[in-house]
Amino acid sequence: MEPTQPKVLVVDDEPNIIMSLDFLIRKEGYQLFIARNGKEALEIAQTEKPDLVVLDIMMPDIDGYEVCKRIKSDENLKHTKVIFLSAKSRESDIQKGLNQGGDLYVTKPFSTRNLMKEIKIFLNQKA
Amino acid sequence: MNKALIISLFLGYLAVLFLVALLLEKNNKLRKKIVHNPYVYSLTLAVYCSAWTFFGSVGMAANNVLEYATVYLGPTIMAPLFWVVLRKMIRISKIQNIISFTDFISSRYGKSLSLGRIAAICLALGIIPYIALQIKAIDLVFETIQFWGDTESTAGSSWLDSGFFFTLIIGIFIILFTTRKTIPQGKNDSLVGAVAFESVVKLIAFVAVGIFVFMQTDQTNTGNLSTWVEGASFQLNDNNSYAEWFGMIFLSGVAFLLLPRQFEMAVVENVSEKQINKAIWFVPLYLLIINFFVMPIAISGNHLLSGFTVDPDMYVLAIPLALDNSFISSVAVVGGFAAASGMVMVSTHALSKMLSNSVIMPYVINKPFIAKSFENHSQKIPIFFRRVSIFLVLVLAFLYHQISTELFSLVSIGLVSFVAVAQFAPLMVGAMFWKLGNCHGAIAGLLSGYVIWFFHLVVPSIAVLDIYPESFVHWTILGGASSQTSAITQVLFWSLLVNSLVYVFTSLFTQQTAIERNQAEIFVDVFRYSKIYESSVVWKGTAYFPDIKSLLERFLGAQQAETELAYFSKKHNIKWKANSKADGKLVTFAEKQLTSVIGSASAKIMVASVVKEERIGLKDVVNILKESQELLRFNKELTRKSSELKRATDALKRANQKLQANDELKDEFLYTVTHEMRTPLTSIRALSEILVDNGAELPEDMQTQYTTTILKESERMSRLISQVLDLENFESGKHKLQLDHLNMVELLEDCLTSMQPVFEKKGIEVSLDIQKTVPTVMGDYDRLTQVVLNLLSNAAKFVPEKSASIKLTAYQVEHKIQVNVRDNGKGISKELQRVIFDKFFQARNQTIRKPKGSGLGLAISKKIVQLHEGQIWVDSEPGKGARFSFTIPLNTRF
């Protein structure tokens, strides 16, 4: 793979989600990184500097909002796009996610087609 | 001692008195202090002790008549009642601005003009002889002085000079004292000071004479006091002494409160009800002291002066004169002056006020010629008529003195006056304690009592003057009276009996007027009404503010009127425009203000002249009275009601909050459920989409993995749905427990058996430790199985892949069976332990994630255990596994 290929970090503790996103993201030719909790996500973000993060909110340690906030306030990561992918579907949850600097908020259950479309748009913009 | 010295003593004394008054008038601070002092107040009540006390008591005692003591025992016994009676009189007078005894009576009985008039005239009839008595005492003083050695003037002087002189001087003095200005609240502070001063002077003088007698008698060669006392024999009148004593005590007790001079000092001049507290004991003490030396002086006089023709009434003065001590003689003279002038001053002041307010002014106040002659000086009208009345009272007293005082001793005239005043007792008691007493009854009772009094006590004295045939005297009930005291008590008894009966029955058989009903209510229940007086007066009619204002200005003066109206406006928060109508409150207020200046009768007339009053039916009054009575009760009720309301509101608020909370819980639950469903649904949707979109590209094994996952997640969905329904059914009570005698050992073994395939598959080592002897419990087999299976499958989910173990134990603890499921998984954090059984867990803890797949299983288990009246909990430390336990009570009776 080309080193210039965009990097995508998927953060979720649900194996089925990872299983499906794994296939779809690789299929598009992006580099995929997987984190199963907030702490792991921040570590990978620091080292790999992904172009885009698909972020769950409810996680055992650091929640997705906090992860997003830290990524967005990090000088090295400020260009990283964040897509929340969460079962939390209240208007207030969505608003909170966007206020923390999230670029998009997708509620579960989600359409893989639409999600991938959005991911491509973000990554193409970057390119 | 000579007449010139006496006259200069007299004038000197009056000058001192005047200076006292002047000092008080100039020095505001001192005046306030004096007037508010309860001892000063008590001293002013001692105006009761007149010249009759100062000279007459000794006279009576000298004649072996001990009944003189009753005159002082009466008030002493009555004193404790001051708190009930006097306080009520004061309170009523204060709220109604009453400034005289007749105002008091006529106010109570419907502001009746005729009752006020009759009462004033009756009192004048009763009191003027009493004033005359004081003049007589002064006359006697002069005579006694002349008898002892003022030889040069015996030829030229006559008794007429001294009495006339005294009356004239006192008259001028009273006019100076009491009518220099109208006094708004009817209070005359300098009068209070002067009267208190006089009380001190007469007490000191009498005690001085007493001590002098004690000290001097031993030095005379005719014997000494102690031997005389041994020889003296005092006897009570044998015939009817108990009744007489009682009658006399009652009479003086009543007189102490109802005599115009007493009412004036005790009620009108009172500034604080608290003063009564001191008066209750101080007045009796004063009376005791002033009577202490009566007996010694009387006994000494009888012995020392036996050779002379001296009236025993004058022993107090004659003894020092006979012993030739001019200093003590002068002291005695000054004391006599003080006693006489104090009584005359206050009585004349009170009587003149009644006569001008109740008799003269109501006739003339509204006459055009009066308005014309006073034009812009309406304030001077009351002063003018007050002066006229003073003059009238003193002239009548002097004339009476000239005609008849020769015939009586000092004491008897006093007692006759007492009986006259006592005629007011029934209507006064009724005024304050009986709401049904009315004006007709008061007039009828008073007049009937006075008729009896007049024909049995007054006529006999005139009869001796040959105006009536002597047989007339014997025709009366006094024909057989054995003594003066007996005559007094008999007349007292019969007159009061007839008076009371006539008053009561006339009241019962005649109608009260509307105002009367109103006033009766306020008088009798004064302590309840004092705060709401102005609004508890019933009044209907039309009046205009400017009229009321100009009326007040006429009699109070512009400045005073302004002040009073400003006060009223502030109190009731009312502002008037030029042509505002005045309401009942203002009219009542204005009438009250005028009452203090011109008396209630005239005030009523003046107010009526500017007000178009409507007749009020008795029914209205009763209704409004009820209202204002109920207003007070209502207030209490209202407070109670509003606190009740507050409680109800609070309860409602709480209920509402609970409802809202329930609503929120419902929302949360729904949210939780949908949230739980989102997870499997998400997997199903995502995976199926991938399968549909990329079916061809996917390797076969991945396709199989995807479809298997979809299937598993669909099962998870179905399980979740049935769990939700279960929980809902438990909570709504649709699911009932199917109770049976359960053997827990069997139940647990069945569960293990059904889980065996899972355990084997995962390679979990299962151990079982069950106390075989546990008794059976009452429970639902299927539901409890559900609980155990839930716990076991949870455990199976969280045990580590290697060396996994689950331990199932059960034993009896007290009256419960406890079941434990222990795993060696990663454990549960404290934070999670708290919420793990909570069905709303997800929603409330927005970002802490419940372990996957737990769903609602624990929430349902908790519900089932609770339905069995047991408990469920978890013990765990992160990294050290978890132990879920539940208990089922053994003796539960469902």
Side-chain angles (χ1 to χ4, degrees), chain B residues 635-661:
Chain B
N635 265 340
K636 265 184 217 156
E637 190 84 344
L638 215 64
T639 322
R640 201 171 58 75
K641 277 267 158 63
S642 74
S643 68
E644 251 171 36
L645 200 69
K646 196 179 173 311
R647 273 201 295 280
T649 315
D650 287 350
L652 215 65
K653 214 187 250 170
R654 277 199 299 277
N656 198 29
Q657 272 167 0
K658 204 171 161 189
L659 227 88
Q660 246 172 27

mmCIF file of all heavy atoms in Angstrom, chain B residues 635-661:
data_model
loop_
_atom_site.group_PDB
_atom_site.id
_atom_site.type_symbol
_atom_site.label_atom_id
_atom_site.label_comp_id
_atom_site.label_asym_id
_atom_site.label_seq_id
_atom_site.Cartn_x
_atom_site.Cartn_y
_atom_site.Cartn_z
ATOM 1 N N ASN B 635 -60.082 35.323 60.613
ATOM 2 C CA ASN B 635 -58.640 35.499 60.451
ATOM 3 C C ASN B 635 -57.895 34.269 60.897
ATOM 4 O O ASN B 635 -56.986 33.801 60.230
ATOM 5 C CB ASN B 635 -58.165 36.695 61.283
ATOM 6 C CG ASN B 635 -58.122 37.936 60.422
ATOM 7 O OD1 ASN B 635 -58.083 37.818 59.200
ATOM 8 N ND2 ASN B 635 -58.143 39.090 61.027
ATOM 9 N N LYS B 636 -58.325 33.769 62.072
ATOM 10 C CA LYS B 636 -57.685 32.580 62.593
ATOM 11 C C LYS B 636 -57.920 31.420 61.639
ATOM 12 O O LYS B 636 -57.019 30.679 61.275
ATOM 13 C CB LYS B 636 -58.257 32.237 63.969
ATOM 14 C CG LYS B 636 -57.432 32.806 65.098
ATOM 15 C CD LYS B 636 -58.001 32.334 66.415
ATOM 16 C CE LYS B 636 -57.918 33.414 67.468
ATOM 17 N NZ LYS B 636 -58.894 33.262 68.526
ATOM 18 N N GLU B 637 -59.208 31.302 61.263
ATOM 19 C CA GLU B 637 -59.620 30.239 60.354
ATOM 20 C C GLU B 637 -58.812 30.304 59.074
ATOM 21 O O GLU B 637 -58.329 29.305 58.555
ATOM 22 C CB GLU B 637 -61.115 30.431 60.027
ATOM 23 C CG GLU B 637 -61.721 29.270 59.288
ATOM 24 C CD GLU B 637 -62.165 28.159 60.248
ATOM 25 O OE1 GLU B 637 -61.731 28.170 61.410
ATOM 26 O OE2 GLU B 637 -62.916 27.308 59.818
ATOM 27 N N LEU B 638 -58.654 31.550 58.606
ATOM 28 C CA LEU B 638 -57.977 31.766 57.337
ATOM 29 C C LEU B 638 -56.527 31.314 57.416
ATOM 30 O O LEU B 638 -56.009 30.675 56.508
ATOM 31 C CB LEU B 638 -58.024 33.259 56.993
ATOM 32 C CG LEU B 638 -58.168 33.570 55.519
ATOM 33 C CD1 LEU B 638 -59.488 33.069 54.988
ATOM 34 C CD2 LEU B 638 -58.034 35.056 55.292
ATOM 35 N N THR B 639 -55.913 31.682 58.540
ATOM 36 C CA THR B 639 -54.525 31.267 58.726
ATOM 37 C C THR B 639 -54.433 29.749 58.685
ATOM 38 O O THR B 639 -53.549 29.179 58.057
ATOM 39 C CB THR B 639 -54.015 31.754 60.096
ATOM 40 O OG1 THR B 639 -54.551 33.036 60.320
ATOM 41 C CG2 THR B 639 -52.520 31.803 60.121
ATOM 42 N N ARG B 640 -55.421 29.126 59.384
ATOM 43 C CA ARG B 640 -55.419 27.673 59.443
ATOM 44 C C ARG B 640 -55.628 27.114 58.034
ATOM 45 O O ARG B 640 -54.909 26.241 57.582
ATOM 46 C CB ARG B 640 -56.543 27.210 60.372
ATOM 47 C CG ARG B 640 -56.356 25.815 60.910
ATOM 48 C CD ARG B 640 -57.400 25.519 61.988
ATOM 49 N NE ARG B 640 -58.758 25.659 61.475
ATOM 50 C CZ ARG B 640 -59.354 24.774 60.677
ATOM 51 N NH1 ARG B 640 -58.722 23.707 60.298
ATOM 52 N NH2 ARG B 640 -60.584 24.975 60.259
ATOM 53 N N LYS B 641 -56.641 27.691 57.358
ATOM 54 C CA LYS B 641 -56.975 27.226 56.019
ATOM 55 C C LYS B 641 -55.787 27.365 55.081
ATOM 56 O O LYS B 641 -55.513 26.470 54.282
ATOM 57 C CB LYS B 641 -58.160 28.038 55.460
ATOM 58 C CG LYS B 641 -59.514 27.522 55.919
ATOM 59 C CD LYS B 641 -60.074 26.533 54.903
ATOM 60 C CE LYS B 641 -61.104 25.594 55.495
ATOM 61 N NZ LYS B 641 -62.295 26.304 55.982
ATOM 62 N N SER B 642 -55.126 28.502 55.170
ATOM 63 C CA SER B 642 -54.062 28.733 54.197
ATOM 64 C C SER B 642 -52.894 27.790 54.450
ATOM 65 O O SER B 642 -52.225 27.364 53.520
ATOM 66 C CB SER B 642 -53.612 30.197 54.214
ATOM 67 O OG SER B 642 -52.854 30.435 55.337
ATOM 68 N N SER B 643 -52.705 27.446 55.740
ATOM 69 C CA SER B 643 -51.611 26.501 55.992
ATOM 70 C C SER B 643 -52.030 25.112 55.499
ATOM 71 O O SER B 643 -51.218 24.346 55.003
ATOM 72 C CB SER B 643 -51.235 26.473 57.473
ATOM 73 O OG SER B 643 -52.262 25.920 58.221
ATOM 74 N N GLU B 644 -53.348 24.836 55.642
ATOM 75 C CA GLU B 644 -53.853 23.578 55.104
ATOM 76 C C GLU B 644 -53.659 23.535 53.592
ATOM 77 O O GLU B 644 -53.217 22.537 53.022
ATOM 78 C CB GLU B 644 -55.355 23.444 55.398
ATOM 79 C CG GLU B 644 -55.661 22.404 56.435
ATOM 80 C CD GLU B 644 -57.121 22.451 56.842
ATOM 81 O OE1 GLU B 644 -57.975 22.711 55.970
ATOM 82 O OE2 GLU B 644 -57.400 22.233 58.025
ATOM 83 N N LEU B 645 -53.999 24.670 52.988
ATOM 84 C CA LEU B 645 -53.897 24.775 51.538
ATOM 85 C C LEU B 645 -52.461 24.554 51.100
ATOM 86 O O LEU B 645 -52.171 23.890 50.113
ATOM 87 C CB LEU B 645 -54.368 26.163 51.098
ATOM 88 C CG LEU B 645 -54.761 26.260 49.641
ATOM 89 C CD1 LEU B 645 -56.023 25.482 49.373
ATOM 90 C CD2 LEU B 645 -54.934 27.706 49.240
ATOM 91 N N LYS B 646 -51.568 25.150 51.906
ATOM 92 C CA LYS B 646 -50.161 25.036 51.568
ATOM 93 C C LYS B 646 -49.742 23.566 51.626
ATOM 94 O O LYS B 646 -49.043 23.079 50.746
ATOM 95 C CB LYS B 646 -49.325 25.859 52.550
ATOM 96 C CG LYS B 646 -47.925 26.106 52.034
ATOM 97 C CD LYS B 646 -47.150 26.932 53.033
ATOM 98 C CE LYS B 646 -45.696 27.069 52.633
ATOM 99 N NZ LYS B 646 -45.062 25.817 52.282
ATOM 100 N N ARG B 647 -50.242 22.907 52.695
ATOM 101 C CA ARG B 647 -49.910 21.492 52.815
ATOM 102 C C ARG B 647 -50.427 20.720 51.607
ATOM 103 O O ARG B 647 -49.725 19.891 51.030
ATOM 104 C CB ARG B 647 -50.515 20.915 54.100
ATOM 105 C CG ARG B 647 -49.621 21.089 55.317
ATOM 106 C CD ARG B 647 -49.986 20.090 56.395
ATOM 107 N NE ARG B 647 -51.323 20.315 56.916
ATOM 108 C CZ ARG B 647 -51.618 21.238 57.822
ATOM 109 N NH1 ARG B 647 -50.681 21.999 58.297
ATOM 110 N NH2 ARG B 647 -52.846 21.391 58.239
ATOM 111 N N ALA B 648 -51.697 21.019 51.237
ATOM 112 C CA ALA B 648 -52.307 20.327 50.103
ATOM 113 C C ALA B 648 -51.511 20.590 48.828
ATOM 114 O O ALA B 648 -51.237 19.684 48.043
ATOM 115 C CB ALA B 648 -53.747 20.776 49.930
ATOM 116 N N THR B 649 -51.128 21.883 48.667
ATOM 117 C CA THR B 649 -50.368 22.242 47.476
ATOM 118 C C THR B 649 -49.049 21.486 47.431
ATOM 119 O O THR B 649 -48.638 20.976 46.385
ATOM 120 C CB THR B 649 -50.057 23.744 47.484
ATOM 121 O OG1 THR B 649 -51.237 24.429 47.860
ATOM 122 C CG2 THR B 649 -49.614 24.217 46.114
ATOM 123 N N ASP B 650 -48.417 21.430 48.619
ATOM 124 C CA ASP B 650 -47.145 20.725 48.687
ATOM 125 C C ASP B 650 -47.314 19.264 48.297
ATOM 126 O O ASP B 650 -46.520 18.709 47.535
ATOM 127 C CB ASP B 650 -46.555 20.813 50.101
ATOM 128 C CG ASP B 650 -46.016 22.200 50.369
ATOM 129 O OD1 ASP B 650 -45.938 22.973 49.393
ATOM 130 O OD2 ASP B 650 -45.689 22.509 51.523
ATOM 131 N N ALA B 651 -48.388 18.660 48.869
ATOM 132 C CA ALA B 651 -48.642 17.254 48.577
ATOM 133 C C ALA B 651 -48.863 17.061 47.079
ATOM 134 O O ALA B 651 -48.342 16.129 46.462
ATOM 135 C CB ALA B 651 -49.864 16.775 49.356
ATOM 136 N N LEU B 652 -49.638 18.014 46.532
ATOM 137 C CA LEU B 652 -49.938 17.953 45.103
ATOM 138 C C LEU B 652 -48.662 18.087 44.290
ATOM 139 O O LEU B 652 -48.436 17.388 43.300
ATOM 140 C CB LEU B 652 -50.891 19.091 44.747
ATOM 141 C CG LEU B 652 -51.908 18.767 43.666
ATOM 142 C CD1 LEU B 652 -52.860 17.691 44.142
ATOM 143 C CD2 LEU B 652 -52.652 20.010 43.261
ATOM 144 N N LYS B 653 -47.829 19.010 44.747
ATOM 145 C CA LYS B 653 -46.578 19.255 44.051
ATOM 146 C C LYS B 653 -45.731 17.977 44.068
ATOM 147 O O LYS B 653 -45.164 17.571 43.057
ATOM 148 C CB LYS B 653 -45.827 20.387 44.765
ATOM 149 C CG LYS B 653 -45.025 21.262 43.810
ATOM 150 C CD LYS B 653 -44.195 22.237 44.608
ATOM 151 C CE LYS B 653 -44.684 23.654 44.460
ATOM 152 N NZ LYS B 653 -44.035 24.556 45.400
ATOM 153 N N ARG B 654 -45.706 17.385 45.287
ATOM 154 C CA ARG B 654 -44.920 16.161 45.400
ATOM 155 C C ARG B 654 -45.475 15.078 44.484
ATOM 156 O O ARG B 654 -44.725 14.394 43.781
ATOM 157 C CB ARG B 654 -44.922 15.674 46.854
ATOM 158 C CG ARG B 654 -43.889 16.348 47.729
ATOM 159 C CD ARG B 654 -43.629 15.520 48.977
ATOM 160 N NE ARG B 654 -44.842 15.370 49.765
ATOM 161 C CZ ARG B 654 -45.281 16.275 50.629
ATOM 162 N NH1 ARG B 654 -44.605 17.392 50.805
ATOM 163 N NH2 ARG B 654 -46.386 16.093 51.311
ATOM 164 N N ALA B 655 -46.815 14.950 44.498
ATOM 165 C CA ALA B 655 -47.453 13.933 43.660
ATOM 166 C C ALA B 655 -47.115 14.187 42.196
ATOM 167 O O ALA B 655 -46.802 13.267 41.436
ATOM 168 C CB ALA B 655 -48.957 13.963 43.864
ATOM 169 N N ASN B 656 -47.166 15.467 41.865
ATOM 170 C CA ASN B 656 -46.892 15.845 40.481
ATOM 171 C C ASN B 656 -45.452 15.516 40.108
ATOM 172 O O ASN B 656 -45.173 14.984 39.040
ATOM 173 C CB ASN B 656 -47.156 17.342 40.308
ATOM 174 C CG ASN B 656 -47.313 17.708 38.857
ATOM 175 O OD1 ASN B 656 -47.756 16.881 38.060
ATOM 176 N ND2 ASN B 656 -46.925 18.921 38.511
ATOM 177 N N GLN B 657 -44.568 15.828 41.069
ATOM 178 C CA GLN B 657 -43.152 15.540 40.832
ATOM 179 C C GLN B 657 -42.944 14.049 40.638
ATOM 180 O O GLN B 657 -42.207 13.614 39.757
ATOM 181 C CB GLN B 657 -42.313 16.021 42.016
ATOM 182 C CG GLN B 657 -41.892 17.471 41.873
ATOM 183 C CD GLN B 657 -41.340 18.026 43.169
ATOM 184 O OE1 GLN B 657 -41.280 17.317 44.170
ATOM 185 N NE2 GLN B 657 -40.953 19.284 43.147
ATOM 186 N N LYS B 658 -43.670 13.285 41.483
ATOM 187 C CA LYS B 658 -43.542 11.837 41.407
ATOM 188 C C LYS B 658 -44.036 11.367 40.037
ATOM 189 O O LYS B 658 -43.413 10.514 39.393
ATOM 190 C CB LYS B 658 -44.373 11.212 42.526
ATOM 191 C CG LYS B 658 -43.889 9.831 42.905
ATOM 192 C CD LYS B 658 -44.606 9.350 44.149
ATOM 193 C CE LYS B 658 -44.497 7.849 44.278
ATOM 194 N NZ LYS B 658 -45.362 7.353 45.355
ATOM 195 N N LEU B 659 -45.184 11.973 39.666
ATOM 196 C CA LEU B 659 -45.768 11.613 38.378
ATOM 197 C C LEU B 659 -44.799 11.931 37.258
ATOM 198 O O LEU B 659 -44.589 11.141 36.335
ATOM 199 C CB LEU B 659 -47.061 12.405 38.167
ATOM 200 C CG LEU B 659 -48.223 11.553 37.690
ATOM 201 C CD1 LEU B 659 -48.956 10.988 38.890
ATOM 202 C CD2 LEU B 659 -49.136 12.376 36.825
ATOM 203 N N GLN B 660 -44.221 13.141 37.399
ATOM 204 C CA GLN B 660 -43.262 13.557 36.386
ATOM 205 C C GLN B 660 -42.070 12.604 36.362
ATOM 206 O O GLN B 660 -41.607 12.185 35.305
ATOM 207 C CB GLN B 660 -42.770 14.960 36.710
ATOM 208 C CG GLN B 660 -43.210 15.976 35.680
ATOM 209 C CD GLN B 660 -42.871 17.369 36.137
ATOM 210 O OE1 GLN B 660 -41.928 17.556 36.897
ATOM 211 N NE2 GLN B 660 -43.621 18.331 35.662
ATOM 212 N N ALA B 661 -41.639 12.252 37.584
ATOM 213 C CA ALA B 661 -40.513 11.336 37.695
ATOM 214 C C ALA B 661 -40.880 10.007 37.052
ATOM 215 O O ALA B 661 -40.092 9.427 36.302
ATOM 216 C CB ALA B 661 -40.151 11.136 39.159
#
